[in-house]
Amino acid sequence: MTTIDYDVVVAGAGPVGLFLGCELALGGASVLVIERLTEVDETIKAGAINIPSAVALYRRGLLPELAAVWEAARQRVFAFRQAGENRGGPEAKLPPKFAGHFAGIMMDPDLFDGSDPAWAEVGPAGDTGLGVPQAALERILARHAEGLGVQVRRGVELTGFDADADGVAVHTAEGTIRAGWLVGCDGGRSTVRKLAGFDFPGTDPEITGYQAVVELTGAERLRQGWNTTDTGTYVHGPFPGRILTVEFDGPPADRSAPITAQELQASLRRVTEVPEVAVTEVHSATRFTDNARQATEYRKGRVLIAGDAAHVHSPFGGQGLNLGLGDAMNLGWKLAAVVRGTAPESLLDSYTAERHPIGAWVLDWTRAQIAVMRPDRHARALRRVVTDLALTTTGTTYLVSKIAGIWQRYDLPGDHPLTGASAPDLVLADGSRLGDQLRSGRALLLDLADDPELRARAEGYGDRLQIRTLACPDRPDLRALFVRPDGFVAWAADTEGTDTKGLPEALERWLGTPTTGDA
């Protein structure tokens, strides 16, 4: 390819594609995001973000907008619960910051034990809550992308591409775009994944699910929240008109066919066993299944995939959107470094290595929920056992921690307990927090002990590495942290018993070869 229009073309302007575009731009890459839809998709989809997603967005300065959306969502849920209380339901309360469900078994926030230090180290993002609808998040990220100068072209659909060792020619109805790299963030039926020939093994679907926002009549006997019946599972709420049904009679004959009020009504009546409930108008509706598949690798030459293009599964537990945002945060800075020539292409090998295990866990987490939701007698017996376990402090804490993603870390070289973990949001001596230091999208060496020798070992990285000398009064045990652009600790040292000789190796592993000095 003799001409490159953009360093990277991202196919898909959902939250994952937009966030990836932002991360690439922060890393210094020229990026174009193309999207076949002309407007933000308002179809009801994911409604929550987990702790890793909230922390990632916080580190890019988006926490205030997230908090505003979350508070509005809480008030909407509260109003719905009040309406139920007026019909003789339980006393209405504002929804908790951390809760969730496993296979429709609701977690009691009063049983949650948050004494694990990992919760305290999350920082302000832990107070944001989880209720952020996907469409609202997409609008937040679109504004963020615009502020970073990311070009987003809507109404442009990828129809094909040709890739070679030097770049990718991306074909659209409007013409061909030449790029160094192509990333498919184009959903579970990804055109990029299919045309590139990624292997996509997994398990076949056995359910048909619907999620919708509708107008209802005759709904007085519908119970709020998650409910199991002899024929399946249904959800009413947590805001007016929102319904969800799950039936275990196989996948739909045609997932792409228009969803009618009659189809939703029939499913709702079968599962709820409330014959008088009627759907009079459909505002938003989608079908889903428990098809669970994952690409065996996330890169083929100059073509990569992220989000649902790399992994699909049922929506239970709200993991899909979060998994994709994590992909974007992990890939963006690495691909930008390769584009700029400051890191070798081999850095991209760590993308699959780090993200694939988390994706595999999510697929099994959703499969386990399907097993517990089935209406047969064996599954219902198992469900009673799981429910008993969930209604203990230990069980609730385990499930909430898994749902929230507080456990996620990468297997990185190094012996320090923080290596591979998301960096603790330390409160520094100048009043700032560690998260505030990461807004630029650059790696951070945090010298907590004012150590000239340490800083000398990190010379030669220019704008690839920001070096801050700031104490942390609350963590006198820590001497230094090297934090990658995605906020994960790549190297750490304590004030006692740790030297700094391993720092140059860690810096070169993640940032490439220094250009000056003796780092």
Short mmCIF file of all heavy atoms in Angstrom, two decimals, residues 470-513:
data_model
loop_
_atom_site.label_atom_id
_atom_site.label_comp_id
_atom_site.label_asym_id
_atom_site.label_seq_id
_atom_site.Cartn_x
_atom_site.Cartn_y
_atom_site.Cartn_z
N LEU A 470 5.76 12.02 44.06
CA LEU A 470 4.74 12.42 45.03
C LEU A 470 4.64 11.34 46.11
O LEU A 470 4.59 10.15 45.79
CB LEU A 470 3.38 12.59 44.35
CG LEU A 470 3.20 13.81 43.45
CD1 LEU A 470 1.95 13.65 42.60
CD2 LEU A 470 3.12 15.08 44.28
N ALA A 471 4.59 11.76 47.34
CA ALA A 471 4.42 10.80 48.42
C ALA A 471 2.96 10.39 48.55
O ALA A 471 2.06 11.06 48.05
CB ALA A 471 4.90 11.42 49.74
N CYS A 472 2.75 9.27 49.21
CA CYS A 472 1.40 8.78 49.52
C CYS A 472 1.35 8.50 51.01
O CYS A 472 1.79 7.42 51.45
CB CYS A 472 1.07 7.53 48.71
SG CYS A 472 -0.56 6.84 49.08
N PRO A 473 0.85 9.42 51.81
CA PRO A 473 0.87 9.25 53.27
C PRO A 473 0.17 7.98 53.74
O PRO A 473 0.55 7.41 54.77
CB PRO A 473 0.15 10.51 53.77
CG PRO A 473 0.35 11.52 52.69
CD PRO A 473 0.33 10.73 51.41
N ASP A 474 -0.84 7.53 53.01
CA ASP A 474 -1.60 6.35 53.44
C ASP A 474 -0.91 5.03 53.12
O ASP A 474 -1.33 3.98 53.60
CB ASP A 474 -2.98 6.35 52.80
CG ASP A 474 -3.84 7.52 53.26
OD1 ASP A 474 -3.59 8.02 54.37
OD2 ASP A 474 -4.74 7.93 52.51
N ARG A 475 0.13 5.06 52.27
CA ARG A 475 0.81 3.83 51.89
C ARG A 475 2.32 4.00 52.03
O ARG A 475 3.07 3.97 51.05
CB ARG A 475 0.45 3.42 50.45
CG ARG A 475 -0.98 2.95 50.25
CD ARG A 475 -1.28 1.65 51.01
NE ARG A 475 -0.41 0.57 50.61
CZ ARG A 475 -0.67 -0.30 49.63
NH1 ARG A 475 -1.80 -0.18 48.93
NH2 ARG A 475 0.15 -1.28 49.35
N PRO A 476 2.81 4.16 53.26
CA PRO A 476 4.26 4.31 53.44
C PRO A 476 5.04 3.07 53.06
O PRO A 476 6.27 3.12 52.91
CB PRO A 476 4.38 4.61 54.94
CG PRO A 476 3.16 4.01 55.55
CD PRO A 476 2.08 4.18 54.53
N ASP A 477 4.36 1.93 52.89
CA ASP A 477 5.03 0.69 52.52
C ASP A 477 5.45 0.67 51.06
O ASP A 477 6.33 -0.08 50.66
CB ASP A 477 4.11 -0.50 52.80
CG ASP A 477 2.78 -0.37 52.05
OD1 ASP A 477 2.11 0.68 52.22
OD2 ASP A 477 2.41 -1.31 51.32
N LEU A 478 4.82 1.51 50.22
CA LEU A 478 5.10 1.50 48.79
C LEU A 478 6.22 2.49 48.45
O LEU A 478 6.21 3.64 48.88
CB LEU A 478 3.85 1.87 47.99
CG LEU A 478 2.84 0.76 47.71
CD1 LEU A 478 1.65 1.32 46.95
CD2 LEU A 478 3.49 -0.37 46.92
N ARG A 479 7.15 2.01 47.62
CA ARG A 479 8.26 2.85 47.19
C ARG A 479 8.02 3.44 45.81
O ARG A 479 8.34 4.60 45.55
CB ARG A 479 9.54 2.02 47.19
CG ARG A 479 10.80 2.76 46.79
CD ARG A 479 11.98 1.80 46.87
NE ARG A 479 13.24 2.42 46.48
CZ ARG A 479 14.39 1.75 46.41
NH1 ARG A 479 14.42 0.46 46.72
NH2 ARG A 479 15.49 2.36 46.05
N ALA A 480 7.45 2.63 44.91
CA ALA A 480 7.25 3.10 43.54
C ALA A 480 6.29 2.18 42.80
O ALA A 480 6.17 0.99 43.13
CB ALA A 480 8.58 3.17 42.79
N LEU A 481 5.63 2.75 41.78
CA LEU A 481 4.74 1.99 40.90
C LEU A 481 5.01 2.40 39.46
O LEU A 481 5.14 3.59 39.16
CB LEU A 481 3.27 2.29 41.21
CG LEU A 481 2.66 1.81 42.52
CD1 LEU A 481 1.23 2.33 42.61
CD2 LEU A 481 2.68 0.30 42.61
N PHE A 482 5.08 1.41 38.58
CA PHE A 482 5.06 1.66 37.14
C PHE A 482 3.71 1.18 36.63
O PHE A 482 3.40 -0.01 36.70
CB PHE A 482 6.22 0.94 36.44
CG PHE A 482 6.08 0.87 34.94
CD1 PHE A 482 5.65 1.96 34.19
CD2 PHE A 482 6.40 -0.30 34.26
CE1 PHE A 482 5.52 1.89 32.81
CE2 PHE A 482 6.29 -0.39 32.88
CZ PHE A 482 5.84 0.71 32.16
N VAL A 483 2.91 2.10 36.14
CA VAL A 483 1.54 1.82 35.73
C VAL A 483 1.43 1.99 34.22
O VAL A 483 1.81 3.04 33.67
CB VAL A 483 0.55 2.77 36.44
CG1 VAL A 483 -0.89 2.40 36.08
CG2 VAL A 483 0.74 2.69 37.96
N ARG A 484 0.94 0.96 33.55
CA ARG A 484 0.76 1.02 32.11
C ARG A 484 -0.33 2.05 31.75
O ARG A 484 -1.12 2.46 32.61
CB ARG A 484 0.36 -0.35 31.55
CG ARG A 484 1.32 -1.44 31.86
CD ARG A 484 1.02 -2.75 31.14
NE ARG A 484 -0.39 -3.12 31.02
CZ ARG A 484 -0.82 -4.29 30.56
NH1 ARG A 484 0.07 -5.20 30.18
NH2 ARG A 484 -2.10 -4.55 30.47
N PRO A 485 -0.43 2.45 30.49
CA PRO A 485 -1.47 3.42 30.11
C PRO A 485 -2.89 2.95 30.41
O PRO A 485 -3.78 3.78 30.59
CB PRO A 485 -1.26 3.58 28.60
CG PRO A 485 0.19 3.31 28.40
CD PRO A 485 0.52 2.22 29.38
N ASP A 486 -3.12 1.63 30.48
CA ASP A 486 -4.46 1.14 30.78
C ASP A 486 -4.73 1.07 32.28
O ASP A 486 -5.79 0.60 32.71
CB ASP A 486 -4.71 -0.22 30.14
CG ASP A 486 -3.71 -1.30 30.58
OD1 ASP A 486 -2.80 -0.98 31.38
OD2 ASP A 486 -3.84 -2.45 30.13
N GLY A 487 -3.77 1.51 33.11
CA GLY A 487 -4.00 1.58 34.54
C GLY A 487 -3.60 0.34 35.31
O GLY A 487 -3.84 0.27 36.52
N PHE A 488 -2.98 -0.64 34.65
CA PHE A 488 -2.56 -1.85 35.33
C PHE A 488 -1.09 -1.75 35.74
O PHE A 488 -0.26 -1.21 35.00
CB PHE A 488 -2.80 -3.08 34.45
CG PHE A 488 -4.24 -3.52 34.47
CD1 PHE A 488 -5.19 -2.85 33.71
CD2 PHE A 488 -4.65 -4.57 35.28
CE1 PHE A 488 -6.53 -3.22 33.74
CE2 PHE A 488 -5.98 -4.96 35.31
CZ PHE A 488 -6.92 -4.28 34.55
N VAL A 489 -0.79 -2.27 36.92
CA VAL A 489 0.56 -2.18 37.47
C VAL A 489 1.46 -3.19 36.76
O VAL A 489 1.20 -4.39 36.77
CB VAL A 489 0.56 -2.45 38.98
CG1 VAL A 489 1.98 -2.40 39.54
CG2 VAL A 489 -0.33 -1.44 39.71
N ALA A 490 2.54 -2.69 36.14
CA ALA A 490 3.50 -3.54 35.45
C ALA A 490 4.75 -3.81 36.28
O ALA A 490 5.50 -4.73 35.99
CB ALA A 490 3.90 -2.91 34.12
N TRP A 491 4.95 -3.00 37.31
CA TRP A 491 6.11 -3.18 38.21
C TRP A 491 5.84 -2.37 39.46
O TRP A 491 5.23 -1.30 39.41
CB TRP A 491 7.39 -2.70 37.53
CG TRP A 491 8.61 -2.73 38.41
CD1 TRP A 491 9.47 -3.78 38.60
CD2 TRP A 491 9.09 -1.66 39.22
NE1 TRP A 491 10.46 -3.43 39.48
CE2 TRP A 491 10.25 -2.12 39.88
CE3 TRP A 491 8.67 -0.36 39.47
CZ2 TRP A 491 10.98 -1.34 40.76
CZ3 TRP A 491 9.38 0.43 40.34
CH2 TRP A 491 10.54 -0.06 40.98
N ALA A 492 6.28 -2.89 40.60
CA ALA A 492 6.10 -2.18 41.87
C ALA A 492 7.24 -2.53 42.80
O ALA A 492 7.85 -3.61 42.69
CB ALA A 492 4.75 -2.55 42.50
N ALA A 493 7.52 -1.63 43.72
CA ALA A 493 8.58 -1.85 44.71
C ALA A 493 8.11 -1.33 46.07
O ALA A 493 7.41 -0.31 46.16
CB ALA A 493 9.87 -1.15 44.30
N ASP A 494 8.49 -2.04 47.12
CA ASP A 494 8.19 -1.61 48.48
C ASP A 494 9.38 -0.85 49.06
O ASP A 494 10.51 -0.92 48.55
CB ASP A 494 7.89 -2.83 49.36
CG ASP A 494 6.56 -3.48 49.00
OD1 ASP A 494 5.67 -2.76 48.51
OD2 ASP A 494 6.43 -4.71 49.20
N THR A 495 9.12 -0.16 50.15
CA THR A 495 10.20 0.60 50.80
C THR A 495 11.21 -0.32 51.45
O THR A 495 12.36 0.05 51.65
CB THR A 495 9.61 1.55 51.85
OG1 THR A 495 8.76 0.80 52.73
CG2 THR A 495 8.80 2.65 51.20
N GLU A 496 10.79 -1.54 51.78
CA GLU A 496 11.69 -2.49 52.41
C GLU A 496 11.82 -3.73 51.54
O GLU A 496 10.83 -4.27 51.04
CB GLU A 496 11.15 -2.91 53.79
CG GLU A 496 11.00 -1.76 54.78
CD GLU A 496 12.33 -1.18 55.22
OE1 GLU A 496 13.35 -1.90 55.10
OE2 GLU A 496 12.37 -0.02 55.65
N GLY A 497 13.04 -4.18 51.34
CA GLY A 497 13.27 -5.48 50.73
C GLY A 497 13.12 -5.55 49.23
O GLY A 497 13.11 -6.64 48.67
N THR A 498 12.98 -4.43 48.54
CA THR A 498 12.84 -4.47 47.09
C THR A 498 13.78 -3.45 46.47
O THR A 498 13.81 -2.29 46.89
CB THR A 498 11.39 -4.13 46.67
OG1 THR A 498 10.50 -5.00 47.36
CG2 THR A 498 11.21 -4.31 45.17
N ASP A 499 14.57 -3.87 45.45
CA ASP A 499 15.39 -2.90 44.74
C ASP A 499 14.71 -2.51 43.44
O ASP A 499 13.63 -2.99 43.11
CB ASP A 499 16.80 -3.43 44.50
CG ASP A 499 16.81 -4.67 43.63
OD1 ASP A 499 16.04 -4.71 42.65
OD2 ASP A 499 17.61 -5.59 43.91
N THR A 500 15.34 -1.65 42.69
CA THR A 500 14.73 -1.12 41.47
C THR A 500 15.37 -1.67 40.21
O THR A 500 15.14 -1.15 39.12
CB THR A 500 14.83 0.42 41.46
OG1 THR A 500 16.22 0.79 41.49
CG2 THR A 500 14.12 1.02 42.66
N LYS A 501 16.16 -2.73 40.33
CA LYS A 501 16.86 -3.25 39.16
C LYS A 501 15.93 -3.81 38.10
O LYS A 501 16.29 -3.84 36.92
CB LYS A 501 17.86 -4.32 39.60
CG LYS A 501 19.01 -3.77 40.43
CD LYS A 501 19.99 -4.86 40.84
CE LYS A 501 21.15 -4.29 41.66
NZ LYS A 501 22.08 -5.34 42.11
N GLY A 502 14.74 -4.25 38.49
CA GLY A 502 13.82 -4.81 37.51
C GLY A 502 13.04 -3.78 36.73
O GLY A 502 12.33 -4.11 35.78
N LEU A 503 13.14 -2.51 37.10
CA LEU A 503 12.35 -1.47 36.43
C LEU A 503 12.72 -1.30 34.97
O LEU A 503 11.80 -1.24 34.11
CB LEU A 503 12.49 -0.15 37.19
CG LEU A 503 11.78 1.05 36.55
CD1 LEU A 503 10.29 0.80 36.43
CD2 LEU A 503 12.06 2.32 37.35
N PRO A 504 13.98 -1.19 34.58
CA PRO A 504 14.29 -1.01 33.15
C PRO A 504 13.72 -2.11 32.27
O PRO A 504 13.23 -1.85 31.17
CB PRO A 504 15.82 -1.00 33.12
CG PRO A 504 16.22 -0.52 34.48
CD PRO A 504 15.21 -1.12 35.41
N GLU A 505 13.77 -3.34 32.76
CA GLU A 505 13.23 -4.45 31.98
C GLU A 505 11.73 -4.29 31.78
O GLU A 505 11.20 -4.53 30.68
CB GLU A 505 13.53 -5.77 32.68
CG GLU A 505 13.01 -7.00 31.94
CD GLU A 505 13.31 -8.29 32.68
OE1 GLU A 505 14.09 -8.25 33.65
OE2 GLU A 505 12.76 -9.33 32.28
N ALA A 506 11.01 -3.91 32.84
CA ALA A 506 9.56 -3.71 32.74
C ALA A 506 9.23 -2.56 31.80
O ALA A 506 8.31 -2.66 30.98
CB ALA A 506 8.98 -3.46 34.13
N LEU A 507 9.98 -1.48 31.90
CA LEU A 507 9.74 -0.34 31.02
C LEU A 507 9.93 -0.72 29.56
O LEU A 507 9.11 -0.38 28.69
CB LEU A 507 10.68 0.81 31.39
CG LEU A 507 10.40 1.52 32.72
CD1 LEU A 507 11.57 2.44 33.08
CD2 LEU A 507 9.11 2.32 32.64
N GLU A 508 11.01 -1.44 29.26
CA GLU A 508 11.28 -1.81 27.87
C GLU A 508 10.25 -2.82 27.36
O GLU A 508 9.87 -2.79 26.19
CB GLU A 508 12.70 -2.36 27.74
CG GLU A 508 13.11 -2.59 26.29
CD GLU A 508 14.61 -2.73 26.12
OE1 GLU A 508 15.36 -2.49 27.10
OE2 GLU A 508 15.04 -3.09 25.01
N ARG A 509 9.79 -3.69 28.23
CA ARG A 509 8.80 -4.70 27.83
C ARG A 509 7.52 -4.02 27.34
O ARG A 509 6.93 -4.45 26.34
CB ARG A 509 8.48 -5.62 29.01
CG ARG A 509 7.43 -6.67 28.71
CD ARG A 509 7.08 -7.49 29.94
NE ARG A 509 6.13 -8.55 29.65
CZ ARG A 509 6.45 -9.78 29.28
NH1 ARG A 509 7.72 -10.12 29.15
NH2 ARG A 509 5.51 -10.68 29.02
N TRP A 510 7.09 -2.96 28.03
CA TRP A 510 5.79 -2.36 27.74
C TRP A 510 5.87 -1.07 26.93
O TRP A 510 4.90 -0.71 26.25
CB TRP A 510 5.03 -2.13 29.04
CG TRP A 510 4.78 -3.40 29.76
CD1 TRP A 510 5.33 -3.80 30.94
CD2 TRP A 510 3.94 -4.48 29.34
NE1 TRP A 510 4.89 -5.06 31.29
CE2 TRP A 510 4.03 -5.51 30.32
CE3 TRP A 510 3.11 -4.70 28.24
CZ2 TRP A 510 3.33 -6.71 30.23
CZ3 TRP A 510 2.41 -5.90 28.13
CH2 TRP A 510 2.53 -6.89 29.12
N LEU A 511 7.02 -0.37 26.98
CA LEU A 511 7.12 0.92 26.29
C LEU A 511 8.12 0.91 25.15
O LEU A 511 8.24 1.91 24.43
CB LEU A 511 7.49 2.01 27.29
CG LEU A 511 6.56 2.21 28.48
CD1 LEU A 511 7.02 3.38 29.33
CD2 LEU A 511 5.12 2.41 28.02
N GLY A 512 8.84 -0.19 24.96
CA GLY A 512 9.82 -0.23 23.89
C GLY A 512 11.20 0.23 24.35
O GLY A 512 11.43 0.51 25.53
N THR A 513 12.09 0.35 23.42
CA THR A 513 13.49 0.70 23.73
C THR A 513 13.62 2.19 24.00
O THR A 513 13.07 3.01 23.26
CB THR A 513 14.39 0.32 22.55
OG1 THR A 513 14.21 -1.07 22.25
CG2 THR A 513 15.85 0.58 22.87
#
